[in-house]
Amino acid sequence: DASKLDEEYSRLQSNASRFGVKGEDELTATLSAVYMIEWGLDGDTAGTNDLKGRNRYLGIKSQELGTVKLGAYDTYLKLAQDKADLFNDLFGDMEYVIAGENRVNNVVGYESPKFMDALQVNVMLQTQDNNNTTAAPHQNGVSSSVTYNNEDMGLYVALAMDNNINGKTALAGTRESDSLRLVATYKIGDLFLSGIYGVSEASSGPGNEETGMTFAAGYKIGDQTIKVSYGVAEADENTAAIQERTLLNVGVDHNFTSKTKAYAFYTMREEDKLAANGDSDDASIAVGLEHNF
């Protein structure tokens, strides 16, 4: 098709470099103060404005009653993914097929103690002072999740919901959305499996509803981990600009230590668009290095 543009290019990409402080200080035998402040930065550029605010909160943790946090941090729907996204922060991040990968401001969060050492309830309220426009004021937002993490069985399951949360979708850009997400992961020996299913629609007005799902598997062989994932997002209305996006990832990690790894991956993203001749294919081949401290 003459209207299509084929191009190849190389780049150095800093995917998710970050630093910060996180801690817990004992106040009494049963109470602690918890805190976190974090910034992201571009590891491949040098400038005066390259620090970006990320998660930050201050809170009180009770061994019997749970934890209350105040600040700005990832929604509980986003956190419900746990370790399911094997290509997190890369070109094949699940955010391209699953709505709700949001960090929100002006929030009060509650995290219950773990029941039976596995079950936890989390609720976040985003207050109306998050609104930055008088033309279309946001409602109070709520993000919540119920998680079950049984380490002995290698099983993790989560059900999460957003209501009136302004942020990312997979296909419809940024909007105030109601979203639902189901997550499951299972680890047996050196094999890891995960699946995520999500639906999202506009909180008010015409819905532009979208459905997304992704499946992943990883297998550890010595110091290497072979990984693969496939995801798809579909618009449930035939007037949406992007009707469907598919995402395929294949990769391998080499763990030098528990803190340092090298990795390589291949990612293919395909979009089916409503506009004539608008369909697109994007492929990426990359190698990288990651160090945690």
Side-chain angles (χ1 to χ4, degrees):
D1 189 327
S3 65
K4 299 281 183 146
L5 177 63
D6 293 329
E7 60 179 357
E8 296 181 359
Y9 60 91
S10 60
R11 65 185 300 184
L12 179 66
Q13 176 72 31
S14 176
N15 291 302
S17 297
R18 65 195 65 157
F19 71 96
V21 177
K22 180 180 180 180
E24 179 177 340
D25 292 337
E26 183 177 303
L27 301 177
T28 70
T30 59
L31 287 178
S32 302
V34 293
Y35 55 89
M36 178 180 186
I37 187 165
E38 180 184 56
W39 293 270
L41 72 159
D42 293 328
D44 55 348
T45 63
T48 57
N49 298 312
D50 60 351
L51 291 181
K52 304 177 181 65
R54 289 178 54 86
N55 294 308
R56 65 269 320 274
Y57 60 77
L58 178 65
I60 295 291
K61 179 179 179 180
S62 165
Q63 295 180 10
E64 293 85 7
L65 301 177
T67 304
V68 175
K69 296 178 179 177
L70 298 88
Y73 58 95
D74 292 341
T75 65
Y76 290 122
L77 181 131
K78 178 181 180 181
L79 292 172
Q81 70 177 270
D82 196 50
K83 301 175 182 178
D85 186 6
L86 296 183
F87 294 86
N88 188 45
D89 292 326
L90 300 176
F91 188 68
D93 191 298
M94 75 175 205
E95 69 177 352
Y96 297 107
V97 292
I98 302 287
E101 294 294 277
N102 298 312
R103 179 179 303 115
V104 292
N105 298 326
N106 307 114
V107 296
V108 179
Y110 169 74
E111 300 169 7
S112 77
K114 285 191 175 180
F115 304 105
M116 300 176 292
D117 293 324
L119 188 66
Q120 188 171 26
V121 178
N122 311 288
V123 181
M124 170 189 288
L125 172 66
Q126 183 183 37
T127 59
Q128 283 180 312
D129 61 347
N130 179 65
N131 176 35
N132 57 12
T133 172
T134 57
H138 298 316
Q139 303 299 311
N140 284 338
V142 177
S143 182
S144 59
S145 68
V146 178
T147 65
Y148 177 82
N149 187 10
N150 189 319
E151 296 183 0
D152 293 335
M153 294 177 58
L155 178 65
Y156 171 84
V157 179
L159 178 64
M161 179 182 66
D162 278 355
N163 183 251
N164 294 328
I165 292 293
N166 191 61
K168 299 177 184 176
T169 68
L171 302 178
T174 299
R175 68 179 182 198
E176 196 168 83
S177 299
D178 297 336
S179 304
L180 185 70
R181 178 181 294 183
L182 177 63
V183 183
T185 70
Y186 181 61
K187 187 177 186 304
I188 178 168
D190 294 325
L191 177 65
F192 176 85
L193 302 171
S194 72
I196 302 176
Y197 174 81
V199 293
S200 178
E201 64 180 1
S203 298
S204 60
N208 273 345
E209 185 175 332
E210 61 182 57
T211 303
M213 62 186 71
T214 182
F215 305 95
Y219 190 74
K220 192 173 185 297
I221 306 174
D223 293 328
Q224 281 69 239
T225 301
I226 300 170
K227 307 184 299 183
V228 60
S229 72
Y230 176 79
V232 59
E234 295 182 345
D236 291 346
E237 295 184 8
N238 58 15
T239 58
I242 302 175
Q243 292 285 294
E244 181 180 272
R245 178 185 290 127
T246 58
L247 183 65
L248 174 66
N249 294 300
V250 179
V252 59
D253 295 344
H254 175 77
N255 296 294
F256 292 106
T257 68
S258 60
K259 295 184 176 181
T260 305
K261 73 176 182 181
Y263 60 87
F265 66 83
Y266 168 81
T267 294
M268 170 66 79
R269 291 201 314 237
E270 298 183 349
E271 289 185 351
D272 178 8
K273 298 181 180 179
L274 189 64
N277 301 319
D279 296 356
S280 64
D281 300 333
D282 296 300
S284 176
I285 300 176
V287 294
L289 185 67
E290 178 182 298
H291 178 71
N292 295 298
F293 58 89

